[in-house]
Amino acid sequence: MHSPHPCPCSRSLVAGLALFLWISLFLPAGHGLAGDNPPPTTKQTQAVQEMQDNILPTLKSILELRADLQKQLREKKKQLKRSSSDSEKLQLQAEIALLEQQLKESGDDFTRIATGIDPRDFQPKKKEEKFDLKQEITFLLKPLISEMKQMTARVRQQAQLNVEIEQYSKLLPEAEEAVQSITELLKKTKDKALEKQLGKELTAWKNRQKELENKQNIARMQLEQLSRSKTSVREDLQESIKHFFRTRGAYLFLALATVTLVICTCWLLHRFLVRILPGYRREHIPLRLRILDLVFRAMTFILAVTGLFGVLYAAQDWVLLSVSIIFLMGIGWTALQTIPKIWNQSQLMLNIGSVREGERLVIDGIPWFVRKINVFTILENPDLGVTLRVPIGKLLDMESRPFNRWERWFPCKRDDWVILADGTRGKVVSQSHEAVELVQRGGARKIYRTADFLSLSPLNLSSNFRLKVPFGISYDLQEQATARIPDTLSRYISDRIGEEGYGDYLKNLRVEFMEAADSSLNLVVIADFDGEMAPLYNRLRRALQKWCVEACTREDWEIPFPQLTVHKV
């Protein structure tokens, strides 16, 4: 049975409330969420009055320009009717289209200056009925992009106005030069036809000059208006935060609260089922309950997403709704790319995969007992005394197997004495899946990486161990070497072991004939000791050699030495 834990969703809810209270500290005192604007100051009133005084001359200038454009337009249309040349007609049609465009732009300028509103914003948009996936995605992203553009609208508008003013400043001198040049030509010419045509050109260029001046004045006035209404970065930030919490922030908070409520409710319901269903109290949870856990996870996700979109849809906040849809599409795309991995993980969680609970799993040469499979799998090694929490994804390419109860989980335990293939003998004082530390006789310590330790085939002395000590006697004792001498030597060694206080730890003692060597008859002393004598392993080996020599001295047995015979041919 699982032990209950604090609900992580409640922590998220508290964190959201704390964030809301923290940001609300930025709001100036005395200002509510209604966002009432303060009354205009005297300086602001004077600025507005000066701006209105500058607007009237500009509007008058635009009307004069429109009158000139209309006059030119009427003349061009008359010329078009009288013309018989196709090339001249095409030229006149292009000039008429240009004049009509200038007339329309001047009308828009008049409306923009008089009202402070761009009339193009009120023009109906053309509807596109053809389905285009790219356009649909663009339409989905449009609210988010529009919101970002709105945040930077003032800066971009100022930059655009500065570019326009600079462009008009370059064109105005050219227009003035053109007017001056045509005026000089009119003074010098006496040809009536040429004078008439130059007069038309002069009128057209004067209109262009006046149009450029008007547009430059409009741009400067708009830039001045933006500069006067400019606020500090802190004030803009406060205003943005207030606006966010008045509108979108409340919807976002409600959506997150709904998601938190759904997750907590599902979690509490799952905890209730864990308490009342007996299968959860077993060491290994049955398959039906594992399926129930997966269904709960899926339903929790579906209900949480449904609650999120339901709140945002009811609030009709298309910006947050678009962001949520994009986020969900990203999760869906990622899930499509990892479907095989998710399927394998689902099999593991259902305990029907390649790794199963209650089996033996080997990782980096170390066996582990699979205690519990979940999002994080619990692995244990009883001999090491180590528990690991491993992500389930790490088990995808692994296999476990059933094991027998007599199988060891590690060659040794803490406080065991071992001998390694490199000759090191010591007591295990610390061991884990990372390193093993040995302390040798005398206090020297040696640390091995666990993989290196295992590669040295450690011999564990802490249960029981055997000493084999070979010993040779002379061939003169051949008649006694197989029976009398082994029995006598065995009794002597047994007595000496008792005298030294090792008798209680002796499990078995035998002296046997081993072999007939070149220069001696070899016996072997076999002594089995209890594991408690492991710290004295080398001392006992030396003692057995000593007692063999003492027995030979007492019984007057000759100990041979190797002989080398040289034969001459």
Side-chain angles (χ1 to χ4, degrees), residues 280-298:
Y280 281 105
R281 290 188 288 273
R282 299 180 184 176
E283 183 179 2
H284 303 299
I285 302 175
L287 177 62
R288 62 181 184 275
L289 295 183
R290 294 179 181 274
I291 295 176
L292 180 63
D293 285 345
L294 284 179
V295 171
F296 251 93
R297 294 176 188 273

Side-chain angles (χ1 to χ4, degrees), residues 262-263 266-267 295-305:
V262 169
I263 295 176
C266 293
W267 183 84
V295 171
F296 251 93
R297 294 176 188 273
M299 290 302 300
T300 301
F301 177 78
I302 293 173
L303 291 176
V305 171

Side-chain angles (χ1 to χ4, degrees), residues 83-95:
S83 176
S84 58
S85 173
D86 293 338
S87 59
E88 186 179 1
K89 285 182 178 181
L90 291 175
Q91 182 180 357
L92 289 172
Q93 289 174 353
E95 293 177 357

Side-chain angles (χ1 to χ4, degrees), residues 195 267 342 467 533:
E195 183 178 354
W267 183 84
I342 294 175
L467 292 175
M533 299 301 292

